[in-house]
Amino acid sequence: MVADWAEYSAEVALSSLLDELGLSTSWVWAITQALGPRAEEIIRKNPYELLAVHGIGFKKADAAAQFLGFDKSSPDRAKAVLHYLLEDAACEGHVYLPRGEVILKAVDECEVAKDQMNAVLDEVLADDEPKGGPLLVQEFYNSNMGKIPVIYLRRMFQAETKLALNLKRLIDGQPYRKFNPGLVNGIIAKAEQALTLTLNEKQKEAVRAAFLTSLSVLTGDPGTGKTTTLRVLVWVADYLHLRFLLAAPTGRAAKRMTEVTGAAAGTLHRMLEYDVVKRRFTKDQNDPLDCDMGILDEVSMLHLLLSESPVEAIPTGCGV
């Protein structure tokens, strides 16, 4: 009993603290994984460390801090507000926020003094590993009003940069399966006959671009023929004996893709072999996808962090 008590006393103390704070004791495992065996001590010292736990947001951490007697003007709270505002913006689809908007939201929504927010933001930006604060990057973008400072979560900035570099890599790389324009035009005509349909010139141009360039985008308003173009594109790829992969962000979109093209499609997570234990994709630049062409549907639905992964895993020379 003594040995068991010694082994589990940290968990017991954490459970007791969570009970005091009005948080479910079901969080014990996740909190211990994020903060380590001294989690209870860490939380009492700075409740905003709870933001490191997936699923515990700013409001819960702030309520815990108020219960433990933390002042609303504490620097730790101001850092937590930064984390909350930028994470919340990311959930809404924003890669960054203008610095002025961050300050304004902190003042209006979270009751942080403007001067303190500016000072804390500068402190966090100046520190590569800020204690208790988010990892941030400040960039300057040109506008009609001059250079505007914008604030990124560092992971969002790195993802955006990596995505841009990988897109450039794919665009600059020459397709390793080269086709004559006349040959492609001839196979498009065969596809029209086999599928009993007729493409307009814009649709034909889109199909040609897919086989004559490294990377192309098929876009258009509803009813302009994207689905028909996709059917022909896949038919031509199959006729040319290309090893192609079809993928979409959701299971429903992937199923629709299969119904339209008659070829097997899957989710991006399946294509990239998502590891649920390690919470990462197996396929990346070190273990790229093995295909001649990747056809990705509904890309406008993608979050930045998910956009980065398939582009990184596609080898140079593969058509996209």
Side-chain angles (χ1 to χ4, degrees):
M1 288 174 66
V2 171
D4 282 350
W5 178 258
E7 182 178 352
Y8 295 110
S9 59
E11 288 186 18
V12 171
L14 179 57
S15 295
S16 178
L17 173 61
L18 294 181
D19 196 45
E20 286 180 53
L21 299 176
L23 291 171
S24 169
T25 53
S26 62
W27 286 107
V28 167
W29 185 85
I31 292 172
T32 303
Q33 290 294 304
L35 302 180
R38 294 174 52 249
E40 185 255 353
E41 179 187 337
I42 291 169
I43 293 167
R44 287 192 183 277
K45 188 174 180 181
N46 179 7
Y48 296 105
E49 292 284 359
L50 285 167
L51 291 173
V53 183
H54 181 70
I56 295 185
F58 171 76
K59 291 181 181 178
K60 285 181 181 176
D62 199 33
Q66 303 309 308
F67 181 86
L68 292 172
F70 275 69
D71 195 289
K72 279 201 168 187
S73 63
S74 76
D76 287 330
R77 184 176 187 274
K79 290 176 184 178
V81 165
L82 274 176
H83 190 282
Y84 159 66
L85 291 175
L86 289 161
E87 287 286 0
D88 190 55
C91 289
E92 293 293 323
H94 299 291
V95 179
Y96 62 79
L97 286 179
R99 178 171 176 138
E101 188 173 338
V102 173
I103 302 298
L104 190 63
K105 281 178 175 286
V107 173
D108 290 347
E109 295 180 23
C110 304
E111 302 174 20
V112 181
K114 183 177 179 180
D115 290 345
Q116 183 192 27
M117 201 70 240
N118 269 308
V120 167
L121 181 51
D122 286 336
E123 177 191 334
V124 172
L125 288 168
D127 192 347
D128 283 340
E129 295 294 336
K131 297 294 182 287
L135 300 174
L136 303 181
V137 172
Q138 179 171 274
E139 288 287 299
F140 290 89
Y141 285 158
N142 293 322
S143 75
N144 295 333
M145 301 168 63
K147 287 187 178 293
I148 293 180
V150 297
I151 309 297
Y152 285 84
L153 288 165
R154 187 186 294 178
R155 75 172 191 279
M156 300 295 281
F157 178 76
Q158 290 172 337
E160 186 177 65
T161 302
K162 190 186 287 187
L163 175 60
L165 290 172
N166 275 310
L167 285 172
K168 186 175 188 306
R169 169 181 64 81
L170 292 173
I171 292 168
D172 290 346
Q174 292 299 310
Y176 44 66
R177 295 290 298 269
K178 297 184 186 300
F179 299 102
N180 182 285
L183 172 68
V184 174
N185 285 333
I187 300 173
I188 290 174
K190 290 182 186 225
E192 289 178 304
Q193 187 174 5
L195 298 172
T196 61
L197 51 81
T198 303
L199 299 184
N200 62 36
E201 191 49 45
K202 275 288 184 185
Q203 290 172 311
K204 290 178 182 178
E205 183 185 340
V207 177
R208 280 195 298 270
F211 294 97
L212 301 179
T213 63
S214 301
L215 187 146
S216 63
V217 178
L218 170 61
T219 186
D221 293 330
T224 53
K226 297 187 298 295
T227 299
T228 301
T229 306
L230 179 62
R231 284 183 68 194
V232 172
L233 197 160
V234 171
W235 195 95
V236 174
D238 188 48
Y239 186 90
L240 290 168
H241 303 295
L242 294 182
R243 298 168 305 146
F244 59 87
L245 293 172
L246 304 181
T250 66
R252 178 176 290 183
K255 183 179 178 182
R256 173 67 179 151
M257 211 175 179
T258 298
E259 291 169 352
V260 165
T261 64
T267 62
L268 288 171
H269 284 72
R270 176 173 287 186
M271 181 181 78
L272 298 172
E273 299 178 13
Y274 185 69
D275 187 322
V276 294
V277 177
K278 296 179 181 177
R279 296 182 69 181
R280 66 175 181 81
F281 294 112
T282 303
K283 292 295 182 182
D284 56 20
Q285 77 273 21
N286 299 315
D287 183 15
L289 295 165
D290 185 20
C291 60
D292 301 313
M293 176 176 279
I295 303 171
L296 311 180
D297 199 15
E298 300 285 7
V299 173
S300 60
M301 292 169 62
L302 293 182
H303 188 281
L304 173 64
L305 297 177
L306 185 53
S307 301
E308 171 208 348
S309 300
V311 176
E312 179 185 38
I314 295 170
T316 305
C318 176
V320 184

PDB file of all heavy atoms in Angstrom, residues 212-235:
ATOM      1  N   LEU A 212       0.635  18.324 -69.295  1.00  0.00           N
ATOM      2  CA  LEU A 212       1.781  19.009 -69.919  1.00  0.00           C
ATOM      3  C   LEU A 212       2.539  19.896 -68.940  1.00  0.00           C
ATOM      4  O   LEU A 212       3.572  20.459 -69.297  1.00  0.00           O
ATOM      5  CB  LEU A 212       1.299  19.840 -71.115  1.00  0.00           C
ATOM      6  CG  LEU A 212       0.575  19.053 -72.230  1.00  0.00           C
ATOM      7  CD1 LEU A 212       0.128  19.999 -73.338  1.00  0.00           C
ATOM      8  CD2 LEU A 212       1.476  17.959 -72.796  1.00  0.00           C
ATOM      9  N   THR A 213       2.019  20.064 -67.720  1.00  0.00           N
ATOM     10  CA  THR A 213       2.701  20.889 -66.710  1.00  0.00           C
ATOM     11  C   THR A 213       2.863  20.094 -65.418  1.00  0.00           C
ATOM     12  O   THR A 213       2.216  19.065 -65.210  1.00  0.00           O
ATOM     13  CB  THR A 213       1.902  22.170 -66.402  1.00  0.00           C
ATOM     14  OG1 THR A 213       0.639  21.803 -65.839  1.00  0.00           O
ATOM     15  CG2 THR A 213       1.677  23.003 -67.647  1.00  0.00           C
ATOM     16  N   SER A 214       3.718  20.596 -64.537  1.00  0.00           N
ATOM     17  CA  SER A 214       3.969  19.909 -63.268  1.00  0.00           C
ATOM     18  C   SER A 214       2.816  20.079 -62.300  1.00  0.00           C
ATOM     19  O   SER A 214       2.492  19.167 -61.543  1.00  0.00           O
ATOM     20  CB  SER A 214       5.244  20.454 -62.611  1.00  0.00           C
ATOM     21  OG  SER A 214       6.347  20.293 -63.446  1.00  0.00           O
ATOM     22  N   LEU A 215       2.189  21.267 -62.297  1.00  0.00           N
ATOM     23  CA  LEU A 215       1.124  21.541 -61.344  1.00  0.00           C
ATOM     24  C   LEU A 215       0.089  22.443 -61.990  1.00  0.00           C
ATOM     25  O   LEU A 215       0.437  23.451 -62.605  1.00  0.00           O
ATOM     26  CB  LEU A 215       1.700  22.205 -60.085  1.00  0.00           C
ATOM     27  CG  LEU A 215       0.729  22.413 -58.913  1.00  0.00           C
ATOM     28  CD1 LEU A 215       1.460  22.266 -57.591  1.00  0.00           C
ATOM     29  CD2 LEU A 215       0.062  23.781 -58.979  1.00  0.00           C
ATOM     30  N   SER A 216      -1.168  22.066 -61.871  1.00  0.00           N
ATOM     31  CA  SER A 216      -2.227  22.901 -62.436  1.00  0.00           C
ATOM     32  C   SER A 216      -3.411  22.935 -61.483  1.00  0.00           C
ATOM     33  O   SER A 216      -3.544  22.074 -60.605  1.00  0.00           O
ATOM     34  CB  SER A 216      -2.663  22.380 -63.809  1.00  0.00           C
ATOM     35  OG  SER A 216      -3.206  21.079 -63.696  1.00  0.00           O
ATOM     36  N   VAL A 217      -4.259  23.939 -61.655  1.00  0.00           N
ATOM     37  CA  VAL A 217      -5.437  24.108 -60.811  1.00  0.00           C
ATOM     38  C   VAL A 217      -6.677  24.098 -61.686  1.00  0.00           C
ATOM     39  O   VAL A 217      -6.769  24.852 -62.661  1.00  0.00           O
ATOM     40  CB  VAL A 217      -5.367  25.444 -60.026  1.00  0.00           C
ATOM     41  CG1 VAL A 217      -6.628  25.620 -59.178  1.00  0.00           C
ATOM     42  CG2 VAL A 217      -4.126  25.491 -59.146  1.00  0.00           C
ATOM     43  N   LEU A 218      -7.623  23.241 -61.341  1.00  0.00           N
ATOM     44  CA  LEU A 218      -8.909  23.180 -62.028  1.00  0.00           C
ATOM     45  C   LEU A 218      -9.929  23.865 -61.128  1.00  0.00           C
ATOM     46  O   LEU A 218     -10.191  23.402 -60.018  1.00  0.00           O
ATOM     47  CB  LEU A 218      -9.305  21.719 -62.273  1.00  0.00           C
ATOM     48  CG  LEU A 218     -10.727  21.451 -62.774  1.00  0.00           C
ATOM     49  CD1 LEU A 218     -10.967  22.124 -64.119  1.00  0.00           C
ATOM     50  CD2 LEU A 218     -10.983  19.959 -62.888  1.00  0.00           C
ATOM     51  N   THR A 219     -10.459  24.989 -61.582  1.00  0.00           N
ATOM     52  CA  THR A 219     -11.386  25.744 -60.750  1.00  0.00           C
ATOM     53  C   THR A 219     -12.506  26.326 -61.607  1.00  0.00           C
ATOM     54  O   THR A 219     -12.381  26.405 -62.826  1.00  0.00           O
ATOM     55  CB  THR A 219     -10.648  26.872 -59.987  1.00  0.00           C
ATOM     56  OG1 THR A 219     -11.546  27.495 -59.071  1.00  0.00           O
ATOM     57  CG2 THR A 219     -10.085  27.914 -60.941  1.00  0.00           C
ATOM     58  N   GLY A 220     -13.585  26.715 -60.967  1.00  0.00           N
ATOM     59  CA  GLY A 220     -14.708  27.292 -61.709  1.00  0.00           C
ATOM     60  C   GLY A 220     -15.957  27.315 -60.856  1.00  0.00           C
ATOM     61  O   GLY A 220     -16.055  26.589 -59.852  1.00  0.00           O
ATOM     62  N   ASP A 221     -16.906  28.141 -61.225  1.00  0.00           N
ATOM     63  CA  ASP A 221     -18.163  28.231 -60.488  1.00  0.00           C
ATOM     64  C   ASP A 221     -18.963  26.931 -60.639  1.00  0.00           C
ATOM     65  O   ASP A 221     -18.708  26.140 -61.553  1.00  0.00           O
ATOM     66  CB  ASP A 221     -18.996  29.408 -61.013  1.00  0.00           C
ATOM     67  CG  ASP A 221     -18.346  30.755 -60.704  1.00  0.00           C
ATOM     68  OD1 ASP A 221     -17.655  30.826 -59.679  1.00  0.00           O
ATOM     69  OD2 ASP A 221     -18.521  31.692 -61.503  1.00  0.00           O
ATOM     70  N   PRO A 222     -19.957  26.709 -59.772  1.00  0.00           N
ATOM     71  CA  PRO A 222     -20.819  25.530 -59.917  1.00  0.00           C
ATOM     72  C   PRO A 222     -21.490  25.499 -61.297  1.00  0.00           C
ATOM     73  O   PRO A 222     -21.921  26.530 -61.813  1.00  0.00           O
ATOM     74  CB  PRO A 222     -21.872  25.725 -58.812  1.00  0.00           C
ATOM     75  CG  PRO A 222     -21.192  26.583 -57.789  1.00  0.00           C
ATOM     76  CD  PRO A 222     -20.300  27.493 -58.557  1.00  0.00           C
ATOM     77  N   GLY A 223     -21.510  24.317 -61.895  1.00  0.00           N
ATOM     78  CA  GLY A 223     -22.170  24.161 -63.184  1.00  0.00           C
ATOM     79  C   GLY A 223     -21.301  24.470 -64.388  1.00  0.00           C
ATOM     80  O   GLY A 223     -21.785  24.444 -65.524  1.00  0.00           O
ATOM     81  N   THR A 224     -20.020  24.753 -64.167  1.00  0.00           N
ATOM     82  CA  THR A 224     -19.147  25.093 -65.302  1.00  0.00           C
ATOM     83  C   THR A 224     -18.425  23.877 -65.873  1.00  0.00           C
ATOM     84  O   THR A 224     -17.644  24.012 -66.805  1.00  0.00           O
ATOM     85  CB  THR A 224     -18.114  26.164 -64.893  1.00  0.00           C
ATOM     86  OG1 THR A 224     -17.425  25.727 -63.710  1.00  0.00           O
ATOM     87  CG2 THR A 224     -18.780  27.494 -64.623  1.00  0.00           C
ATOM     88  N   GLY A 225     -18.651  22.691 -65.280  1.00  0.00           N
ATOM     89  CA  GLY A 225     -18.100  21.472 -65.896  1.00  0.00           C
ATOM     90  C   GLY A 225     -16.852  20.916 -65.249  1.00  0.00           C
ATOM     91  O   GLY A 225     -16.103  20.172 -65.906  1.00  0.00           O
ATOM     92  N   LYS A 226     -16.592  21.221 -63.990  1.00  0.00           N
ATOM     93  CA  LYS A 226     -15.398  20.677 -63.324  1.00  0.00           C
ATOM     94  C   LYS A 226     -15.479  19.145 -63.199  1.00  0.00           C
ATOM     95  O   LYS A 226     -14.498  18.447 -63.423  1.00  0.00           O
ATOM     96  CB  LYS A 226     -15.227  21.283 -61.929  1.00  0.00           C
ATOM     97  CG  LYS A 226     -14.984  22.789 -61.916  1.00  0.00           C
ATOM     98  CD  LYS A 226     -14.643  23.300 -60.524  1.00  0.00           C
ATOM     99  CE  LYS A 226     -15.755  23.098 -59.511  1.00  0.00           C
ATOM    100  NZ  LYS A 226     -16.984  23.896 -59.850  1.00  0.00           N
ATOM    101  N   THR A 227     -16.671  18.653 -62.849  1.00  0.00           N
ATOM    102  CA  THR A 227     -16.848  17.208 -62.658  1.00  0.00           C
ATOM    103  C   THR A 227     -16.618  16.455 -63.967  1.00  0.00           C
ATOM    104  O   THR A 227     -15.929  15.429 -64.004  1.00  0.00           O
ATOM    105  CB  THR A 227     -18.258  16.909 -62.112  1.00  0.00           C
ATOM    106  OG1 THR A 227     -18.415  17.556 -60.849  1.00  0.00           O
ATOM    107  CG2 THR A 227     -18.469  15.413 -61.932  1.00  0.00           C
ATOM    108  N   THR A 228     -17.174  16.972 -65.045  1.00  0.00           N
ATOM    109  CA  THR A 228     -16.992  16.349 -66.362  1.00  0.00           C
ATOM    110  C   THR A 228     -15.522  16.357 -66.751  1.00  0.00           C
ATOM    111  O   THR A 228     -14.986  15.364 -67.261  1.00  0.00           O
ATOM    112  CB  THR A 228     -17.820  17.098 -67.429  1.00  0.00           C
ATOM    113  OG1 THR A 228     -19.189  17.059 -67.043  1.00  0.00           O
ATOM    114  CG2 THR A 228     -17.664  16.453 -68.803  1.00  0.00           C
ATOM    115  N   THR A 229     -14.862  17.467 -66.499  1.00  0.00           N
ATOM    116  CA  THR A 229     -13.430  17.590 -66.812  1.00  0.00           C
ATOM    117  C   THR A 229     -12.625  16.568 -66.017  1.00  0.00           C
ATOM    118  O   THR A 229     -11.696  15.935 -66.539  1.00  0.00           O
ATOM    119  CB  THR A 229     -12.939  19.022 -66.504  1.00  0.00           C
ATOM    120  OG1 THR A 229     -13.771  19.962 -67.181  1.00  0.00           O
ATOM    121  CG2 THR A 229     -11.499  19.213 -66.939  1.00  0.00           C
ATOM    122  N   LEU A 230     -12.987  16.392 -64.747  1.00  0.00           N
ATOM    123  CA  LEU A 230     -12.296  15.425 -63.899  1.00  0.00           C
ATOM    124  C   LEU A 230     -12.466  14.007 -64.433  1.00  0.00           C
ATOM    125  O   LEU A 230     -11.516  13.214 -64.438  1.00  0.00           O
ATOM    126  CB  LEU A 230     -12.823  15.525 -62.464  1.00  0.00           C
ATOM    127  CG  LEU A 230     -12.215  14.559 -61.436  1.00  0.00           C
ATOM    128  CD1 LEU A 230     -10.727  14.807 -61.285  1.00  0.00           C
ATOM    129  CD2 LEU A 230     -12.914  14.725 -60.089  1.00  0.00           C
ATOM    130  N   ARG A 231     -13.668  13.672 -64.896  1.00  0.00           N
ATOM    131  CA  ARG A 231     -13.920  12.339 -65.470  1.00  0.00           C
ATOM    132  C   ARG A 231     -12.980  12.079 -66.648  1.00  0.00           C
ATOM    133  O   ARG A 231     -12.364  11.014 -66.749  1.00  0.00           O
ATOM    134  CB  ARG A 231     -15.363  12.232 -65.956  1.00  0.00           C
ATOM    135  CG  ARG A 231     -16.411  12.053 -64.882  1.00  0.00           C
ATOM    136  CD  ARG A 231     -17.783  11.896 -65.502  1.00  0.00           C
ATOM    137  NE  ARG A 231     -17.905  10.644 -66.242  1.00  0.00           N
ATOM    138  CZ  ARG A 231     -18.890  10.374 -67.102  1.00  0.00           C
ATOM    139  NH1 ARG A 231     -19.814  11.295 -67.362  1.00  0.00           N
ATOM    140  NH2 ARG A 231     -18.939   9.212 -67.719  1.00  0.00           N
ATOM    141  N   VAL A 232     -12.860  13.077 -67.518  1.00  0.00           N
ATOM    142  CA  VAL A 232     -12.005  12.922 -68.703  1.00  0.00           C
ATOM    143  C   VAL A 232     -10.545  12.842 -68.287  1.00  0.00           C
ATOM    144  O   VAL A 232      -9.780  12.012 -68.811  1.00  0.00           O
ATOM    145  CB  VAL A 232     -12.241  14.082 -69.697  1.00  0.00           C
ATOM    146  CG1 VAL A 232     -11.225  14.030 -70.838  1.00  0.00           C
ATOM    147  CG2 VAL A 232     -13.663  14.050 -70.232  1.00  0.00           C
ATOM    148  N   LEU A 233     -10.153  13.672 -67.339  1.00  0.00           N
ATOM    149  CA  LEU A 233      -8.767  13.695 -66.882  1.00  0.00           C
ATOM    150  C   LEU A 233      -8.353  12.313 -66.374  1.00  0.00           C
ATOM    151  O   LEU A 233      -7.277  11.794 -66.721  1.00  0.00           O
ATOM    152  CB  LEU A 233      -8.622  14.744 -65.770  1.00  0.00           C
ATOM    153  CG  LEU A 233      -7.230  15.244 -65.397  1.00  0.00           C
ATOM    154  CD1 LEU A 233      -7.348  16.577 -64.668  1.00  0.00           C
ATOM    155  CD2 LEU A 233      -6.489  14.272 -64.506  1.00  0.00           C
ATOM    156  N   VAL A 234      -9.205  11.700 -65.547  1.00  0.00           N
ATOM    157  CA  VAL A 234      -8.887  10.378 -64.998  1.00  0.00           C
ATOM    158  C   VAL A 234      -8.880   9.320 -66.099  1.00  0.00           C
ATOM    159  O   VAL A 234      -8.035   8.413 -66.107  1.00  0.00           O
ATOM    160  CB  VAL A 234      -9.891  10.012 -63.874  1.00  0.00           C
ATOM    161  CG1 VAL A 234      -9.722   8.559 -63.441  1.00  0.00           C
ATOM    162  CG2 VAL A 234      -9.704  10.943 -62.689  1.00  0.00           C
ATOM    163  N   TRP A 235      -9.806   9.433 -67.053  1.00  0.00           N
ATOM    164  CA  TRP A 235      -9.850   8.474 -68.170  1.00  0.00           C
ATOM    165  C   TRP A 235      -8.548   8.537 -68.964  1.00  0.00           C
ATOM    166  O   TRP A 235      -7.973   7.505 -69.320  1.00  0.00           O
ATOM    167  CB  TRP A 235     -11.041   8.798 -69.074  1.00  0.00           C
ATOM    168  CG  TRP A 235     -11.403   7.690 -70.040  1.00  0.00           C
ATOM    169  CD1 TRP A 235     -12.346   6.727 -69.862  1.00  0.00           C
ATOM    170  CD2 TRP A 235     -10.806   7.450 -71.326  1.00  0.00           C
ATOM    171  NE1 TRP A 235     -12.389   5.885 -70.950  1.00  0.00           N
ATOM    172  CE2 TRP A 235     -11.439   6.308 -71.874  1.00  0.00           C
ATOM    173  CE3 TRP A 235      -9.796   8.059 -72.066  1.00  0.00           C
ATOM    174  CZ2 TRP A 235     -11.109   5.774 -73.120  1.00  0.00           C
ATOM    175  CZ3 TRP A 235      -9.449   7.541 -73.312  1.00  0.00           C
ATOM    176  CH2 TRP A 235     -10.101   6.417 -73.831  1.00  0.00           C
TER     177      TRP A 235
END
